Amino acid sequence: MTDEQRLETDPEGHRPEGHDTGRPEDQSLGGLLSEVARDVSELIRKEVELAKLEVREEAVKASKAGAKLGAAALMGNLALLLAAFAVAWGLAEVMPAGWAFLIVAVVAAAVAGGLFAVGRKQFREVSPVPRQTGETLKEDVEWARERMS
């Protein structure tokens, strides 16, 4: 028996009360609860980190969709302006100018509407709720229940 082993045992060879050996059956209730609390704390920290990452990813998606909607609005306005002047003047050669400008305006509005629909569809794909975190939280609760039993 080494000096260290002798220090860890009483004269009869038994370990003092409250001395953990690392084996679950030798740990006190307080030690087990402390370990579970430490594990739960670490788990919560990790879940918060995961939620932050998911929210950040969704924010990037939303910003890209927003940029496309902004570009759609700009291009719609530019298309309307340029098309209104170029095509309407061309059509004004074969029909009254009023009708020519109206036809051009309808075409430009259709292009802007198509760009808007694409941007709106992308916005609908953005999820503000961190789904992966929700799933792992459910798993963590189940793990904690099993650990406490």
Coordinates of all heavy atoms in Angstrom, one line a residue, residues 7-73:
L7 N -3.1 7.4 3.3 CA -3.7 8.7 3.7 C -5.2 8.8 3.3 O -5.9 9.4 4.0 CB -3.0 9.9 3.0 CG -1.5 10.2 3.4 CD1 -0.9 11.2 2.6 CD2 -1.5 10.6 4.9
E8 N -5.6 8.0 2.3 CA -6.9 8.1 1.9 C -7.8 7.1 2.7 O -9.0 7.1 2.5 CB -7.1 7.7 0.4 CG -6.5 8.8 -0.5 CD -6.6 8.4 -2.0 OE1 -7.0 7.3 -2.3 OE2 -6.3 9.2 -2.8
T9 N -7.3 6.3 3.5 CA -8.0 5.3 4.3 C -7.8 5.5 5.7 O -6.8 6.0 6.2 CB -7.7 3.8 3.9 OG1 -6.3 3.6 4.1 CG2 -7.9 3.6 2.4
D10 N -8.7 5.0 6.5 CA -8.5 5.0 8.0 C -7.7 3.8 8.4 O -7.4 2.9 7.6 CB -9.9 5.1 8.7 CG -10.8 3.9 8.5 OD1 -10.3 2.8 8.0 OD2 -12.0 3.9 8.8
P11 N -7.4 3.6 9.7 CA -6.6 2.5 10.1 C -7.2 1.1 9.8 O -6.4 0.2 9.6 CB -6.5 2.7 11.6 CG -6.7 4.1 11.9 CD -7.6 4.6 10.8
E12 N -8.5 1.0 9.6 CA -9.1 -0.3 9.3 C -9.1 -0.5 7.8 O -9.6 -1.5 7.3 CB -10.5 -0.3 9.8 CG -10.5 -0.2 11.4 CD -11.9 -0.1 11.9 OE1 -12.9 -0.4 11.1 OE2 -12.0 0.2 13.1
G13 N -8.6 0.5 7.0 CA -8.6 0.3 5.5 C -9.9 0.8 4.8 O -10.0 0.6 3.6
H14 N -10.8 1.5 5.5 CA -12.0 2.1 4.9 C -11.7 3.5 4.5 O -11.0 4.2 5.2 CB -13.1 2.0 5.9 CG -13.5 0.6 6.3 ND1 -13.7 -0.4 5.5 CD2 -13.7 0.1 7.6 CE1 -13.9 -1.5 6.1 NE2 -13.9 -1.2 7.4
R15 N -12.4 3.9 3.5 CA -12.3 5.3 3.0 C -13.2 6.2 3.9 O -14.2 5.8 4.3 CB -12.7 5.5 1.6 CG -11.8 4.7 0.6 CD -12.1 5.1 -0.8 NE -11.3 4.4 -1.7 CZ -10.1 4.7 -2.1 NH1 -9.5 5.8 -1.5 NH2 -9.4 4.0 -2.9
P16 N -12.7 7.4 4.2 CA -13.5 8.3 5.0 C -14.8 8.7 4.3 O -14.9 8.7 3.1 CB -12.6 9.6 5.2 CG -11.3 9.2 4.7 CD -11.4 8.0 3.8
E17 N -15.8 9.0 5.1 CA -17.1 9.4 4.6 C -17.0 10.6 3.7 O -16.3 11.6 4.1 CB -18.1 9.6 5.7 CG -19.5 9.8 5.3 CD -20.5 9.8 6.4 OE1 -20.7 8.8 7.0 OE2 -21.0 11.0 6.7
G18 N -17.8 10.6 2.6 CA -17.8 11.8 1.7 C -16.6 11.8 0.7 O -16.5 12.7 -0.1
H19 N -15.7 10.8 0.8 CA -14.6 10.7 -0.2 C -15.1 10.0 -1.4 O -15.4 8.8 -1.4 CB -13.4 10.0 0.5 CG -12.2 10.0 -0.4 ND1 -12.2 10.3 -1.7 CD2 -10.9 9.7 -0.1 CE1 -11.0 10.2 -2.2 NE2 -10.2 9.8 -1.2
D20 N -15.0 10.7 -2.6 CA -15.5 10.2 -3.8 C -14.3 9.4 -4.5 O -13.2 9.9 -4.5 CB -16.0 11.3 -4.8 CG -17.2 11.9 -4.3 OD1 -17.9 11.3 -3.5 OD2 -17.5 13.1 -4.7
T21 N -14.6 8.3 -5.0 CA -13.6 7.5 -5.7 C -13.7 7.6 -7.2 O -12.9 7.1 -8.0 CB -13.7 6.0 -5.4 OG1 -15.0 5.6 -5.8 CG2 -13.6 5.7 -3.9
G22 N -14.8 8.4 -7.7 CA -15.0 8.5 -9.1 C -16.0 7.6 -9.6 O -16.5 7.7 -10.7
R23 N -16.3 6.5 -8.9 CA -17.4 5.6 -9.3 C -18.7 6.1 -8.8 O -18.8 6.6 -7.7 CB -17.1 4.2 -8.7 CG -15.8 3.6 -9.2 CD -15.7 2.2 -8.7 NE -16.1 2.0 -7.4 CZ -15.4 1.3 -6.5 NH1 -14.2 0.8 -6.8 NH2 -15.8 1.2 -5.2
P24 N -19.8 6.1 -9.7 CA -21.1 6.6 -9.3 C -21.6 6.0 -8.0 O -22.2 6.7 -7.2 CB -22.0 6.2 -10.5 CG -21.0 6.1 -11.6 CD -19.8 5.6 -11.0
E25 N -21.4 4.7 -7.8 CA -21.9 4.1 -6.5 C -21.2 4.6 -5.3 O -21.7 4.5 -4.2 CB -21.9 2.6 -6.6 CG -20.5 2.0 -6.7 CD -20.1 1.8 -8.2 OE1 -20.7 2.3 -9.1 OE2 -19.0 1.2 -8.4
D26 N -20.0 5.2 -5.4 CA -19.3 5.7 -4.3 C -19.5 7.1 -4.0 O -19.1 7.7 -3.0 CB -17.8 5.4 -4.4 CG -17.4 3.9 -4.4 OD1 -18.3 3.1 -3.9 OD2 -16.4 3.5 -4.8
Q27 N -20.1 7.8 -4.9 CA -20.3 9.3 -4.8 C -21.5 9.6 -3.9 O -22.5 8.8 -3.8 CB -20.6 10.0 -6.1 CG -19.4 10.0 -7.0 CD -19.6 10.8 -8.3 OE1 -20.8 10.8 -8.7 NE2 -18.6 11.3 -8.9
S28 N -21.4 10.7 -3.1 CA -22.5 11.1 -2.2 C -23.6 11.7 -3.1 O -23.4 12.1 -4.2 CB -22.0 12.1 -1.2 OG -21.7 13.3 -1.9
L29 N -24.8 11.8 -2.5 CA -25.9 12.4 -3.2 C -25.6 13.8 -3.6 O -25.9 14.3 -4.7 CB -27.2 12.3 -2.3 CG -28.4 13.0 -2.9 CD1 -28.8 12.3 -4.2 CD2 -29.6 12.9 -2.0
G30 N -25.0 14.6 -2.7 CA -24.6 15.9 -3.0 C -23.6 16.0 -4.1 O -23.7 16.9 -5.0
G31 N -22.7 15.1 -4.2 CA -21.7 15.1 -5.3 C -22.4 14.8 -6.6 O -22.1 15.4 -7.6
L32 N -23.3 13.8 -6.6 CA -24.1 13.5 -7.8 C -24.9 14.7 -8.3 O -24.9 15.0 -9.5 CB -25.0 12.3 -7.6 CG -24.3 11.0 -7.5 CD1 -25.3 9.9 -7.1 CD2 -23.6 10.6 -8.7
L33 N -25.6 15.4 -7.3 CA -26.4 16.5 -7.7 C -25.5 17.7 -8.2 O -25.9 18.4 -9.1 CB -27.2 17.0 -6.5 CG -28.4 16.1 -6.1 CD1 -29.1 16.6 -4.9 CD2 -29.4 15.9 -7.2
S34 N -24.4 17.8 -7.6 CA -23.4 18.8 -8.1 C -23.0 18.6 -9.5 O -22.9 19.5 -10.3 CB -22.2 18.9 -7.1 OG -21.3 19.8 -7.6
E35 N -22.7 17.3 -9.8 CA -22.3 16.9 -11.1 C -23.4 17.1 -12.1 O -23.1 17.6 -13.2 CB -21.8 15.4 -11.1 CG -21.3 15.0 -12.4 CD -20.8 13.5 -12.4 OE1 -20.4 13.1 -11.3 OE2 -20.9 12.9 -13.5
V36 N -24.6 16.8 -11.8 CA -25.7 17.0 -12.7 C -26.0 18.5 -12.9 O -26.2 18.9 -14.0 CB -27.0 16.3 -12.1 CG1 -28.3 16.8 -12.9 CG2 -26.9 14.8 -12.1
A37 N -25.9 19.3 -11.8 CA -26.0 20.7 -12.0 C -24.9 21.3 -12.9 O -25.2 22.1 -13.8 CB -26.0 21.4 -10.6
R38 N -23.7 20.8 -12.8 CA -22.6 21.3 -13.6 C -22.9 20.9 -15.1 O -22.7 21.7 -16.0 CB -21.3 20.6 -13.1 CG -20.1 21.5 -13.3 CD -18.9 20.9 -12.7 NE -18.8 19.4 -12.5 CZ -18.9 18.8 -11.3 NH1 -19.0 19.5 -10.2 NH2 -18.8 17.5 -11.2
D39 N -23.4 19.6 -15.3 CA -23.7 19.2 -16.6 C -24.8 20.0 -17.3 O -24.8 20.3 -18.4 CB -24.0 17.7 -16.6 CG -22.8 16.8 -16.3 OD1 -21.7 17.3 -16.4 OD2 -23.1 15.6 -16.0
V40 N -25.9 20.2 -16.5 CA -27.0 21.0 -17.0 C -26.6 22.4 -17.3 O -27.0 22.9 -18.4 CB -28.2 21.0 -16.0 CG1 -29.2 22.0 -16.3 CG2 -28.8 19.6 -15.9
S41 N -25.8 23.0 -16.5 CA -25.3 24.3 -16.8 C -24.5 24.4 -18.1 O -24.7 25.3 -18.9 CB -24.4 24.8 -15.6 OG -23.8 26.0 -15.9
E42 N -23.6 23.4 -18.3 CA -22.8 23.3 -19.5 C -23.7 23.1 -20.7 O -23.6 23.7 -21.8 CB -21.8 22.2 -19.4 CG -20.9 22.0 -20.7 CD -20.0 23.2 -20.9 OE1 -19.7 24.0 -20.0 OE2 -19.6 23.3 -22.1
L43 N -24.7 22.3 -20.5 CA -25.7 22.0 -21.6 C -26.5 23.2 -22.0 O -26.6 23.5 -23.2 CB -26.7 20.9 -21.1 CG -27.5 20.2 -22.1 CD1 -26.7 19.6 -23.2 CD2 -28.4 19.2 -21.4
I44 N -26.9 24.0 -21.0 CA -27.6 25.2 -21.3 C -26.7 26.2 -22.0 O -27.2 26.9 -23.0 CB -28.2 25.8 -20.0 CG1 -29.3 25.0 -19.5 CG2 -28.7 27.3 -20.2 CD1 -29.8 25.3 -18.1
R45 N -25.5 26.3 -21.6 CA -24.5 27.2 -22.3 C -24.4 26.8 -23.7 O -24.4 27.7 -24.6 CB -23.2 27.2 -21.6 CG -22.8 28.5 -21.0 CD -21.3 28.5 -20.5 NE -20.8 27.3 -19.8 CZ -21.0 27.0 -18.6 NH1 -21.7 27.7 -17.8 NH2 -20.5 25.9 -18.1
K46 N -24.3 25.5 -24.0 CA -24.1 25.1 -25.4 C -25.4 25.3 -26.2 O -25.3 25.7 -27.4 CB -23.8 23.6 -25.4 CG -22.4 23.2 -24.8 CD -21.3 23.7 -25.7 CE -20.0 23.2 -25.1 NZ -18.9 23.7 -25.8
E47 N -26.5 25.1 -25.6 CA -27.8 25.4 -26.3 C -28.0 26.9 -26.6 O -28.4 27.2 -27.7 CB -29.0 24.9 -25.4 CG -29.1 23.4 -25.2 CD -29.2 22.6 -26.5 OE1 -29.7 23.2 -27.5 OE2 -28.8 21.4 -26.5
V48 N -27.5 27.7 -25.7 CA -27.6 29.2 -26.0 C -26.7 29.5 -27.2 O -27.0 30.3 -28.1 CB -27.3 30.0 -24.8 CG1 -27.0 31.5 -25.1 CG2 -28.4 29.9 -23.7
E49 N -25.5 28.9 -27.2 CA -24.6 29.2 -28.3 C -25.2 28.7 -29.6 O -25.1 29.4 -30.6 CB -23.2 28.4 -28.1 CG -22.4 29.0 -27.0 CD -21.1 28.2 -26.8 OE1 -20.6 27.5 -27.7 OE2 -20.6 28.2 -25.6
L50 N -25.8 27.5 -29.6 CA -26.4 27.0 -30.8 C -27.6 27.9 -31.3 O -27.7 28.2 -32.5 CB -27.0 25.6 -30.5 CG -27.7 24.9 -31.7 CD1 -26.7 24.7 -32.9 CD2 -28.2 23.5 -31.2
A51 N -28.4 28.4 -30.3 CA -29.5 29.3 -30.7 C -29.0 30.5 -31.3 O -29.5 31.0 -32.3 CB -30.3 29.6 -29.5
K52 N -27.9 31.1 -30.8 CA -27.3 32.3 -31.4 C -26.8 32.0 -32.8 O -27.0 32.9 -33.7 CB -26.1 32.8 -30.5 CG -26.5 33.4 -29.2 CD -25.2 33.8 -28.5 CE -25.5 34.4 -27.1 NZ -24.3 34.8 -26.4
L53 N -26.2 30.9 -33.0 CA -25.7 30.6 -34.4 C -26.9 30.5 -35.3 O -26.8 31.0 -36.5 CB -24.9 29.3 -34.4 CG -23.5 29.4 -33.8 CD1 -22.9 28.0 -33.7 CD2 -22.7 30.3 -34.7
E54 N -28.0 29.8 -34.9 CA -29.1 29.6 -35.8 C -29.8 30.9 -36.1 O -30.1 31.2 -37.3 CB -30.1 28.7 -35.1 CG -29.7 27.2 -35.2 CD -30.9 26.4 -34.7 OE1 -31.8 26.1 -35.4 OE2 -30.8 25.9 -33.5
V55 N -29.9 31.8 -35.1 CA -30.5 33.1 -35.3 C -29.7 33.9 -36.3 O -30.2 34.6 -37.2 CB -30.8 33.8 -34.0 CG1 -31.2 35.3 -34.2 CG2 -31.9 33.1 -33.2
R56 N -28.4 33.9 -36.1 CA -27.5 34.6 -37.0 C -27.6 34.1 -38.4 O -27.6 34.9 -39.4 CB -26.0 34.4 -36.5 CG -25.0 35.4 -37.1 CD -23.7 35.3 -36.5 NE -23.7 35.6 -35.0 CZ -23.2 34.9 -34.1 NH1 -22.5 33.8 -34.4 NH2 -23.3 35.2 -32.8
E57 N -27.7 32.8 -38.6 CA -27.8 32.3 -40.0 C -29.2 32.7 -40.6 O -29.2 33.1 -41.8 CB -27.8 30.7 -39.9 CG -26.5 30.1 -39.7 CD -26.5 28.6 -39.5 OE1 -27.6 28.0 -39.7 OE2 -25.4 28.0 -39.2
E58 N -30.2 32.7 -39.8 CA -31.5 33.2 -40.3 C -31.5 34.7 -40.7 O -32.1 35.1 -41.6 CB -32.6 32.9 -39.4 CG -32.9 31.4 -39.2 CD -33.3 30.7 -40.5 OE1 -34.1 31.2 -41.3 OE2 -32.7 29.6 -40.8
A59 N -30.8 35.5 -39.9 CA -30.7 36.9 -40.1 C -29.9 37.1 -41.5 O -30.3 38.0 -42.2 CB -29.9 37.6 -39.0
V60 N -28.9 36.3 -41.7 CA -28.2 36.5 -43.0 C -29.2 36.1 -44.2 O -29.2 36.9 -45.2 CB -27.0 35.5 -43.0 CG1 -26.4 35.4 -44.4 CG2 -25.9 36.0 -42.1
K61 N -30.0 35.1 -44.0 CA -30.9 34.8 -45.1 C -31.9 35.9 -45.3 O -32.2 36.3 -46.4 CB -31.7 33.5 -44.7 CG -31.0 32.2 -44.9 CD -32.0 31.1 -44.5 CE -31.3 29.8 -44.4 NZ -32.3 28.7 -44.0
A62 N -32.4 36.5 -44.2 CA -33.4 37.6 -44.3 C -32.7 38.8 -44.9 O -33.4 39.5 -45.8 CB -33.9 37.9 -42.9
S63 N -31.5 39.1 -44.6 CA -30.8 40.2 -45.2 C -30.6 40.1 -46.7 O -30.8 41.0 -47.5 CB -29.5 40.6 -44.5 OG -28.6 39.6 -44.8
K64 N -30.3 38.8 -47.1 CA -30.2 38.6 -48.6 C -31.5 38.7 -49.3 O -31.6 39.3 -50.4 CB -29.6 37.2 -48.8 CG -28.1 37.1 -48.5 CD -27.6 35.7 -48.7 CE -26.1 35.6 -48.3 NZ -25.6 34.2 -48.5
A65 N -32.6 38.2 -48.7 CA -33.9 38.3 -49.3 C -34.3 39.8 -49.4 O -34.9 40.2 -50.4 CB -34.9 37.5 -48.5
G66 N -34.0 40.5 -48.3 CA -34.3 42.0 -48.3 C -33.6 42.7 -49.4 O -34.1 43.6 -50.0
A67 N -32.3 42.4 -49.6 CA -31.5 43.0 -50.6 C -32.1 42.8 -52.0 O -32.2 43.6 -52.8 CB -30.1 42.6 -50.6
K68 N -32.6 41.5 -52.2 CA -33.2 41.2 -53.5 C -34.6 42.0 -53.7 O -34.9 42.4 -54.8 CB -33.5 39.7 -53.6 CG -32.1 39.0 -53.8 CD -32.3 37.5 -53.9 CE -30.9 36.9 -54.1 NZ -30.9 35.5 -53.8
L69 N -35.3 42.1 -52.6 CA -36.6 42.9 -52.7 C -36.2 44.4 -53.0 O -36.9 45.0 -53.8 CB -37.4 42.8 -51.4 CG -38.1 41.5 -51.2 CD1 -38.8 41.5 -49.9 CD2 -39.1 41.3 -52.3
G70 N -35.2 44.9 -52.4 CA -34.8 46.3 -52.6 C -34.4 46.4 -54.1 O -34.7 47.4 -54.8
A71 N -33.6 45.5 -54.6 CA -33.1 45.5 -56.0 C -34.3 45.4 -56.9 O -34.4 46.0 -58.0 CB -32.1 44.4 -56.2
A72 N -35.3 44.6 -56.5 CA -36.5 44.4 -57.4 C -37.2 45.7 -57.4 O -37.7 46.1 -58.5 CB -37.4 43.3 -56.8
A73 N -37.3 46.4 -56.4 CA -38.0 47.7 -56.4 C -37.3 48.7 -57.2 O -37.9 49.5 -58.0 CB -38.2 48.2 -54.9

